[in-house]
Amino acid sequence: MKHVGRSVPGRNNVISVAGAGTYVDDVRPAGRMIMAVLRSPHAHARIVRLDISAAAALPEVSLVLDGASLAADGIVVRPGGAFANFTVRQSDRVPLAVDVVRYVGEPVVAVVAVDLIAARAALELVDVEYAPLPVLADASAALTGQPLEQSWPDNVMVDYPFSKGDPDVVLAGSDRVRRGSLRCGRIAASPIEPRGIVASWDPYRETLTCWASTQSPHVLRTLLAATVGLSDSAVRVIQPQVGGAFGSKLPMFPEDVLATVASIRLGVPVAWTEQRNEYLTAAGHSRDVGCDYAVAFRPDGRITALTVDLVADLGAPTTVAGWAMCIVTAGCIPGAYQIDDVRVRMRGVVTNRGPWQAYRGFGKEVSCFVMERILDEVARATGVDRIEVRLRNFIPSSTFPYTQPCGWITDSGDYEGTLTEAAKLIDYADFERRRAEAREQGRTLGIGFAHELTPEGSSRPDSLMGGTDSATVRISPRGDVTVLTGVTSPGTGNETGIAQVVADALGCDLERVRVEQGDTASCPYGNGNYSSRSLTFGATSARLAADELRERIEAVAVSMLGTDAGRIRIEEGTVHGPHDATLTLDAVAAEIYRNPHGRHMTGLPPGLEATRSYRIPNVHHQPDVDGRYNQYPTWSFASAACVVEVDEETGVVRVEDFVLVHDSGEIVNPLLAEAQLHGAVLQGIGASLYEEISYDEDARPFAHTLREYTLPGARESLAPVIGHRSTPSPFTLDGRKGVGESGISAPAAAIASAIEDALREHDVRLSRAPFTPARVWAALNGGAA
Amino acid sequence: MSVPISTIVNGQSIDLAVDPRSTLVDLLREQLGLTGTHVGCRTASCGACTVVLDGNTVKSCCVLAAEADGRSVQTIEGHVDGERRARPGELDDVQEAFVQVQGMQCGFCTPGMVLSVRALLAANPDPTDQEAKAAIAGNLCRCTGYVNILRAIRRVADERAHAKESTDV
Amino acid sequence: MNTVSYAAPTTLDALVRMLAERGDDVTLVAGGMSVMPLLNRGIGRRDRLVTLNRVVGLDTIEADEDEDDLVIGATVTHARLAADERVHRHCRVLADAAGGIGDPQVRNRGTLGGALAYANPGADELTALTALTATVVLDSSQGTRRVPVAEFLLGAQRTARRPDEVVTAVRVPRAPAAGFARLGRVQGAPPTITAAAVRQGERLRVAVGGVASRPVTLTCVPHALEAEIRAAALHAPDPIVDDPFNPPDYRRAMAVVMTRRASRLALDRR
């Protein structure tokens, strides 16, 4: 029985359902003290006076940190990374504000006390006076305003232009051109568990142990060690159970450094658990992007030229690398569509809004929104059916691997396959009848489509996320298998998926395989989980290690059975030889351990432990050598179709049906993969209809609680119909591409398409996500939306 | 100042002193070490802190610890009969259904969700999809899209109805 | 030196004496669904708490035959209100309002008295009580006074309650022919608009919450309703302007829509 491809429930399910999971706030080393952070109430201000003496004098308070003292001690975070083809400006950061605060929520002072009540009481005693400075409230202010960073000439942090062919000439010569503007609202990933860290310095051993709700323990270890001046070997980072991440827990945060510095200074464990209002203001947002586009096309809907000018409001610059999402947004245009004359420019500007942090989609969801709205516009302008216009513009399946205009290399695809299946599953052919029937009941329905292209496996040069991962597979003397992996799980269940892959590779029972992850002391170097890499990288490196052991096992088994290589097969823990001879894997393991000098081990390496690192192909980081740059090895994709009902009086939109046909190559565990898709689709719907981070004209955030930043609840949910297709990657070992981000991008455009279809008699245009009831109502009543 | 209270938690009588400013979730997590109840928002929004107080589901982040005086509290660690702690591996049919149909991913909302589902099915053994959604509306989940959670509810409802039919016959 | 104080009085008498002494210095807690989120964020006085949950007699629902009122105690929860048969028969619009609040856990704790005391704009029950011309009963060491709801609610989180007073009950007149309509945006957000309409002979008395800081209310004949609500919404003092999801023009337009829906329900009922 093959385990890969089976729907096995997640192995941590039993722990979770019993409430027995240990999350970072449940980690309580003896002597633990609590850290709280005082944050800026202003979006931009000079710190005129800061007096921490009253706070420090409280008997329950052990330590108060401020920016000036950290800077004096050389505690500075240095961002890095190499950037081919575009400009990125970065600056070093002290984890607490020095002289100036640049966003509401920026950490100013950290207090360590016996408990949270005492810590918060101490925060209230910090005497700080601010002198407000002019605020860059949004991207347009930033483009014309004074530089936020002293050392920068302007506020453009990222400038990424690329082009192919000569789009301006084609546009000028075309009599079918449409221009428009689009906007995506700012979004917060909002896992139900906020961030947290427990830092514990052992002053005798001079070692640091941190438990952190993080996606990348090894990366956090290196970044933390470098910042506080420790050897990597003296630092251990442990990822306990994580209550959701979706990108928001990629290292490294100022609070990680603060808790660590505090623990080193005090010699006791220091814990910081984030409060929700801190998460919503300071942990980082995404997707605050606007663009202007021009598209030229033929009467049959074939696009001949496209220019897209994007501006991303990156908020205040920090050391968290969320800003890199704006580069991905640009690079994924024109995405799934073959357009040979195209110009794209992304300018990411800094403002006094909150900083950016990674969120599922990592910029591709904005690209999808842009492209899909443009395709719909072309369909509207030409009268060509929305499915048909996409089919006519898709990159043909026969041309993969395909080099995008930005230079990135799309591995494989069959976009017609998913789109036509999505249209079938939503019963597009029957929709007009359904619409008419609803109309008779006084209900307004519409149908919409969108296609999403989801590059995965992000691998960036000169970063700790460069395109590899490692795994160790160990088999014990009694045949028990342990896999130690460098990838982590925020709940996705990769400990189950990896076990399935290893069990197949070894031929053993699934129950005999235990996967451990998240501890830098035992797990080989890895980058953690992001960009859907856990099975693509994590399971593949585990498989490579397992394959190495399999070779040894087979050689020993062949010897023990006295037969020839190629005449055995291994299934469910039993080696089957000719003439019904059998041998358990346990017996083979025992032989390897007990008789390394025996005849069955002659010429073979001893032991049953292998560590392998997997460097994924189709990543190119040497453009000066081979002229190629590609940071995404695998490109999943999906097509969505949805039916919405619009209440024309109130603008309220309900998603009635949602179909997602996705193609991520081989699927290891359909139950877990589909669960991912369910979550991604509702997150996508959330960003389309219910969620937005707003700021006022002084860059003060509106949302401090989940009453303002409203996540979809069960009543907003529906069960999407999921279709699977598989166009394997020609580059990865098992053809896998990664599932984790599929479904996050398509909903916004599919829903916009459906709302416009529902309201087609009113010629409504939706260019700004989310499509709140007020915006839909305004579009219906003559306003712009 | 500390307030002495007498409360029953998962069937066990407990006398302890609480800081009047502290909340029920902090009493459970900090003072009693029952960390299965989670904190996600402290504004009665997310429901990760849901426990049963005198028979009703409540959001313990917004209940004063002193409120537990003279009352009984059930958390996810408690056996479903409310009389004692559950032993490791001792799951009720709601928990079993969650496990089998993958009704969770990260698990952070799960304890609160299970308690809300138990309350739903105790009051309404055969809920419609709409009724089920309304019953868990106060438990936010960011991972699952609620799809498998609703499947778990339907599965338990069907299994219980089937079991009842078998015994009724 | 901060001293923390906490009191759990068991009689109304003890409670009002406490309030007479320290009413402007304490935070009252009942269900906690309005006050605890604030205290948890450090807003308000956490170190001076008085709980209402042990005061005997605040959680009853009784009919007052003489005045044909239903007298609902301040600590009656939204859940109990929504389920109570007497409330359904006497003033169902209040039960309808209560049943749509928040979620089951919030309804299990949140109280009618708390909703009144916190006077959040658009709050479901407050809109219903306004249309019902209910009366708020307040007690203090100086005795009991009754204040019509429309005079009790003064603005966002502002009421006519003096610091030495506590809301002890609400008196609700009979109103079988009434309708309630709620426009919500999403789980967890305050309602955008709540509307209640009560038949009064040939006329309708309506209240709309969510346009301004207190409910807009008027009485008129059905065919004039839309125009009158539109005008009242346009001119309502202290309009809600700071919600980026629901700008004022949308709220005003929805006030008309939801009033229409509530009044249709009221007109369909006897």
Side-chain angles (χ1 to χ4, degrees):
Chain A
M1 169 174 61
K2 207 160 134 29
H3 296 288
V4 168
R6 274 179 57 219
S7 287
V8 181
R11 290 162 146 209
N12 285 339
N13 291 1
V14 176
I15 295 169
S16 296
V17 88
T22 300
Y23 299 84
V24 70
D25 195 54
D26 305 330
V27 175
R28 308 281 169 93
R32 170 187 85 128
M33 301 198 81
I34 306 298
M35 183 176 93
V37 176
L38 182 70
R39 298 176 182 274
S40 169
H42 298 286
H44 197 202
R46 184 162 303 286
I47 300 174
V48 166
R49 185 182 72 252
L50 179 60
D51 184 352
I52 58 173
S53 54
L58 283 181
E60 302 96 337
V61 171
S62 299
L63 182 66
V64 183
L65 295 170
D66 66 14
S69 66
L70 287 180
D73 286 344
I75 306 293
V76 174
V77 182
R78 315 209 126 83
F83 308 101
N85 313 326
F86 48 83
T87 310
V88 177
R89 293 200 182 92
Q90 299 189 89
S91 297
D92 294 347
R93 305 267 158 228
V94 180
L96 291 171
V98 178
D99 291 337
V100 176
V101 290
R102 299 149 316 121
Y103 61 99
V104 172
E106 179 163 16
V108 177
V109 164
V111 157
V112 180
V114 296
D115 57 33
L116 186 59
I117 290 180
R120 285 172 129 188
L123 291 184
E124 278 166 42
L125 292 181
V126 172
D127 180 15
V128 53
E129 189 190 324
Y130 299 97
L133 293 168
V135 166
L136 296 176
D138 57 27
S140 55
L143 282 168
T144 55
Q146 287 300 299
L148 204 54
E149 291 294 300
Q150 304 255 331
S151 54
W152 299 10
D154 54 34
N155 290 307
V156 180
M157 178 180 181
V158 176
D159 195 343
Y160 179 28
F162 62 86
S163 66
K164 180 178 176 186
D166 213 333
D168 296 294
V169 166
V170 177
L171 278 163
S174 175
D175 57 358
R176 281 184 183 80
V177 172
R178 282 287 216 265
R179 293 184 158 79
S181 298
L182 297 164
R183 247 195 99 53
C184 285
R186 195 174 251 252
I187 297 295
S190 308
I192 306 299
E193 183 207 23
R195 300 174 296 162
I197 186 168
V198 178
S200 183
W201 172 249
D202 181 331
Y204 294 99
R205 290 168 190 74
E206 296 190 322
T207 56
L208 175 72
T209 302
C210 291
W211 292 263
S213 189
T214 182
Q215 292 172 238
S216 309
H218 285 95
V219 175
L220 178 59
R221 180 184 77 167
T222 295
L223 294 175
L224 255 185
T227 304
V228 300
L230 291 172
S231 147
D232 284 3
S233 321
V235 179
R236 177 183 182 188
V237 175
I238 300 165
Q239 180 219 47
Q241 193 159 343
V242 171
F246 317 112
S248 67
K249 295 174 178 175
L250 285 171
M252 178 180 69
F253 297 107
E255 294 87 353
D256 298 327
V257 178
L258 296 170
T260 298
V261 167
S263 182
I264 291 172
R265 295 214 187 153
L266 294 173
V268 298
V270 173
W272 174 70
T273 299
E274 180 175 52
Q275 301 300 309
R276 181 58 59 181
N277 61 306
E278 296 180 286
Y279 177 83
L280 289 172
T281 52
H285 310 132
S286 63
R287 305 204 194 159
D288 195 345
V289 181
C291 78
D292 297 316
Y293 68 85
V295 62
F297 47 94
R298 292 201 296 252
D300 67 351
R302 186 86 180 81
I303 292 172
T304 53
L306 175 69
T307 64
V308 186
D309 259 281
L310 304 126
V311 177
D313 184 330
L314 302 176
T318 64
T319 51
V320 175
W323 54 265
M325 290 189 279
C326 77
I327 290 161
V328 175
T329 294
C332 289
I333 291 172
Y337 302 100
Q338 178 160 36
I339 301 174
D340 295 322
D341 290 275
V342 57
R343 176 169 52 73
V344 177
R345 183 184 186 193
M346 164 60 85
R347 282 175 298 167
V349 298
V350 295
T351 67
N352 291 116
R353 292 184 174 188
W356 270 27
Q357 168 58 309
Y359 177 36
R360 199 175 200 167
F362 207 75
K364 315 178 265 286
E365 70 295 329
V366 175
S367 327
C368 173
F369 184 67
V370 170
M371 286 312 302
E372 295 304 302
R373 295 274 64 217
I374 289 171
L375 265 294
D376 272 6
E377 185 62 33
V378 171
R380 193 199 297 257
T382 57
V384 174
D385 172 80
R386 287 170 290 169
I387 299 280
E388 193 56 42
V389 77
R390 285 166 168 84
L391 295 177
R392 289 176 189 174
N393 283 288
F394 273 155
I395 298 166
S397 304
S398 55
T399 60
F400 291 100
Y402 177 86
T403 302
Q404 295 278 342
C406 68
W408 300 352
I409 299 165
T410 306
D411 59 350
S412 69
D414 173 19
Y415 305 149
E416 306 86 65
T418 51
L419 187 60
T420 48
E421 179 147 344
K424 205 156 44 126
L425 286 174
I426 199 99
D427 207 356
Y428 185 29
D430 185 56
F431 183 72
E432 287 312 318
R433 186 205 57 77
R434 188 175 163 190
R435 188 205 306 266
E437 190 177 85
R439 169 66 72 217
E440 266 159 49
Q441 297 162 8
R443 299 169 62 220
T444 307
L445 298 185
I447 190 167
F449 309 96
H451 184 84
E452 59 172 48
L453 183 59
T454 312
E456 303 285 30
S458 177
S459 306
R460 287 189 285 121
D462 200 17
S463 74
L464 287 173
M465 297 179 166
T468 70
D469 221 281
S470 315
T472 300
V473 177
R474 288 181 186 147
I475 304 178
S476 80
R478 291 168 57 227
D480 297 308
V481 183
T482 305
V483 182
L484 300 155
T485 172
V487 298
T488 55
S489 170
T492 52
N494 62 25
E495 73 289 329
T496 307
I498 290 173
Q500 288 171 262
V501 169
V502 169
D504 275 359
L506 293 175
C508 68
D509 278 334
L510 185 60
E511 296 317 302
R512 302 296 298 280
V513 182
R514 181 184 283 268
V515 177
E516 287 177 15
Q517 50 190 190
D519 187 341
T520 60
S522 54
C523 297
Y525 195 88
N527 299 349
N529 84 279
Y530 54 90
S531 202
S532 312
R533 65 198 301 279
S534 300
L535 296 185
T536 320
F537 288 69
T540 303
S541 47
R543 187 191 135 176
L544 291 173
D547 284 349
E548 195 179 302
L549 298 184
R550 170 84 175 236
E551 230 181 87
R552 202 169 308 165
I553 288 169
E554 286 187 355
V556 173
V558 156
S559 173
M560 289 170 77
L561 288 173
T563 181
D564 304 313
R567 299 192 69 201
I568 60 166
R569 79 176 192 282
I570 308 182
E571 258 167 37
E572 284 168 69
T574 302
V575 184
H576 297 270
H579 315 301
D580 292 328
T582 62
L583 194 59
T584 62
L585 277 182
D586 297 0
V588 178
E591 180 63 23
I592 291 172
Y593 276 95
R594 290 172 181 278
N595 287 310
H597 292 274
R599 61 187 176 89
H600 300 304
M601 286 293 291
T602 307
L604 292 175
L608 264 184
E609 178 165 329
T611 298
R612 291 288 298 272
S613 293
Y614 175 56
R615 181 168 49 205
I616 198 165
N618 198 35
V619 169
H620 300 276
H621 287 166
Q622 302 176 45
D624 47 336
V625 170
D626 60 10
R628 287 191 289 179
Y629 175 84
N630 185 29
Q631 63 187 52
Y632 283 110
T634 60
W635 297 64
S636 299
F637 55 96
S639 302
C642 72
V643 172
V644 303
E645 175 172 357
V646 182
D647 181 329
E648 294 191 48
E649 279 193 320
T650 62
V652 170
V653 174
R654 265 209 70 81
V655 182
E656 291 282 306
D657 297 291
F658 197 96
V659 164
L660 187 82
V661 179
H662 87 110
D663 189 329
S664 309
E666 178 199 65
I667 298 293
V668 172
N669 185 323
L671 179 67
L672 297 182
E674 279 206 17
Q676 287 283 292
L677 297 171
H678 297 157
V681 166
L682 192 62
Q683 286 181 359
I685 291 174
S688 310
L689 297 176
Y690 307 115
E691 301 172 40
E692 186 168 14
I693 292 280
S694 305
Y695 286 85
D696 68 11
E697 63 281 357
D698 292 316
R700 272 190 304 247
F702 170 68
H704 294 273
T705 76
L706 293 179
R707 295 176 169 196
E708 299 93 45
Y709 193 78
T710 42
L711 307 179
R715 283 186 290 200
E716 284 75 40
S717 75
L718 77 163
V721 170
I722 307 285
H724 292 279
R725 292 177 62 85
S726 177
T727 307
S729 173
F731 297 109
T732 58
L733 204 54
D734 294 302
R736 266 175 246 137
K737 295 184 174 184
V739 176
E741 290 174 298
S742 293
I744 192 76
S745 303
I751 290 170
S753 186
I755 296 171
E756 288 177 357
D757 180 67
L759 303 176
R760 58 200 183 162
E761 286 151 34
H762 306 270
D763 198 30
V764 156
R765 297 285 222 281
L766 294 171
S767 61
R768 183 176 180 177
F771 322 113
T772 60
R775 286 189 182 143
V776 173
W777 175 83
L780 267 171
N781 289 278
Chain B
M1 176 197 194
S2 84
V3 176
I5 67 168
S6 280
T7 181
I8 302 173
V9 180
N10 296 327
Q12 188 192 4
S13 295
I14 300 180
D15 294 334
L16 73 167
V18 301
D19 185 318
R21 297 166 295 183
S22 78
T23 57
L24 180 57
V25 72
D26 292 326
L27 184 168
L28 294 168
R29 290 178 56 78
E30 311 298 323
Q31 293 186 258
L32 299 180
L34 294 168
T35 56
T37 305
H38 300 140
V39 175
C41 71
R42 293 193 189 268
T43 54
S45 303
C46 76
C49 67
T50 300
V51 300
V52 179
L53 179 67
D54 274 0
N56 288 321
T57 51
V58 300
K59 297 188 179 184
S60 61
C61 69
C62 288
V63 175
L64 289 172
E67 187 71 24
D69 186 31
R71 303 203 199 284
S72 82
V73 182
Q74 287 167 253
T75 72
I76 190 66
E77 290 93 343
H79 190 269
V80 64
D81 68 12
E83 308 287 305
R84 58 178 176 83
R85 291 280 297 261
R87 283 185 287 270
E90 210 173 11
L91 307 176
D92 76 337
D93 58 346
V94 171
Q95 288 167 307
E96 280 291 353
F98 268 69
V99 170
Q100 290 310 314
V101 305
Q102 198 61 35
M104 78 290 278
Q105 289 172 39
C106 81
F108 202 73
C109 77
T110 305
M113 192 69 76
V114 166
L115 295 181
S116 286
V117 170
R118 283 181 182 162
L120 161 69
L121 292 171
N124 185 352
D126 188 21
T128 63
D129 194 47
Q130 218 175 345
E131 287 167 344
K133 288 177 176 178
I136 61 170
N139 293 83
L140 296 181
C141 175
R142 201 54 162 162
C143 295
T144 67
Y146 308 98
V147 179
N148 287 345
I149 294 171
L150 292 162
R151 283 184 185 159
I153 293 172
R154 179 44 36 203
R155 177 157 158 151
V156 176
D158 288 347
E159 281 174 357
R160 287 184 183 179
H162 183 74
K164 189 169 186 306
E165 274 166 29
S166 308
T167 58
D168 282 351
V169 161
Chain C
M1 172 71 191
N2 254 346
T3 49
V4 177
S5 77
Y6 169 82
T10 55
T11 64
L12 182 57
D13 209 53
L15 173 62
V16 298
R17 270 187 282 120
M18 228 174 262
L19 293 177
E21 253 176 83
R22 307 159 45 211
D24 50 8
D25 193 37
V26 300
T27 303
L28 295 174
V29 185
M33 294 294 95
S34 295
V35 72
M36 292 301 295
L38 296 171
L39 292 179
N40 283 341
R41 285 183 49 210
I43 300 164
R45 297 296 301 272
R46 197 174 186 122
D47 53 353
R48 304 263 183 280
L49 295 171
V50 175
T51 175
L52 302 178
N53 292 328
R54 310 289 173 170
V55 177
V56 173
L58 286 188
D59 64 352
T60 55
I61 301 176
E62 279 164 1
D64 178 341
E65 313 295 346
D66 301 329
E67 302 185 45
D68 202 24
D69 280 347
L70 199 60
V71 184
I72 304 171
T75 61
V76 170
T77 62
H78 308 311
R80 272 187 62 209
L81 263 184
D84 192 280
E85 221 204 291
R86 291 162 294 179
V87 177
H88 274 269
R89 270 180 305 166
H90 185 93
C91 51
R92 65 166 295 167
V93 75
L94 183 60
D96 291 342
I101 294 172
D103 57 60
Q105 295 96 308
V106 167
R107 291 193 295 274
N108 282 339
R109 289 289 300 174
T111 63
L112 186 59
L116 276 163
Y118 273 84
N120 287 317
D124 306 64
E125 288 158 340
L126 307 188
T127 300
L129 291 175
T130 302
L132 289 163
T133 60
T135 306
V136 181
V137 179
L138 296 144
D139 276 88
S140 69
S141 58
Q142 295 167 55
T144 305
R145 70 179 179 122
R146 299 185 187 184
V147 180
V149 159
E151 289 166 34
F152 178 78
L153 300 170
L154 300 179
Q157 288 92 42
R158 277 194 312 121
T159 69
R161 181 184 76 91
R162 293 189 319 251
D164 67 322
E165 285 179 312
V166 59
V167 174
T168 50
V170 181
R171 304 184 64 96
V172 187
R174 185 180 296 278
F180 185 80
R182 178 185 208 270
L183 179 64
R185 188 175 62 80
V186 65
Q187 184 64 39
T192 306
I193 294 287
T194 49
V198 174
R199 276 184 77 163
Q200 279 247 281
E202 292 308 307
R203 304 186 347 134
L204 284 168
R205 191 173 52 241
V206 304
V208 184
V211 178
S213 66
R214 42 195 293 226
V216 168
T217 181
L218 55 86
T219 306
C220 68
V221 288
H223 69 256
L225 184 56
E226 212 163 294
E228 297 230 3
I229 281 293
R230 186 168 288 119
L234 192 58
H235 297 112
D238 203 16
I240 296 170
V241 298
D242 58 358
D243 175 2
F245 286 110
N246 298 297
D249 61 346
Y250 178 70
R251 287 179 178 272
R252 288 194 298 268
M254 292 307 102
V256 175
V257 171
M258 301 316 284
T259 305
R260 188 188 309 137
R261 293 184 184 183
S263 62
R264 243 186 243 134
L265 287 169
L267 292 170
D268 286 345
R269 290 168 184 157
R270 304 258 142 250

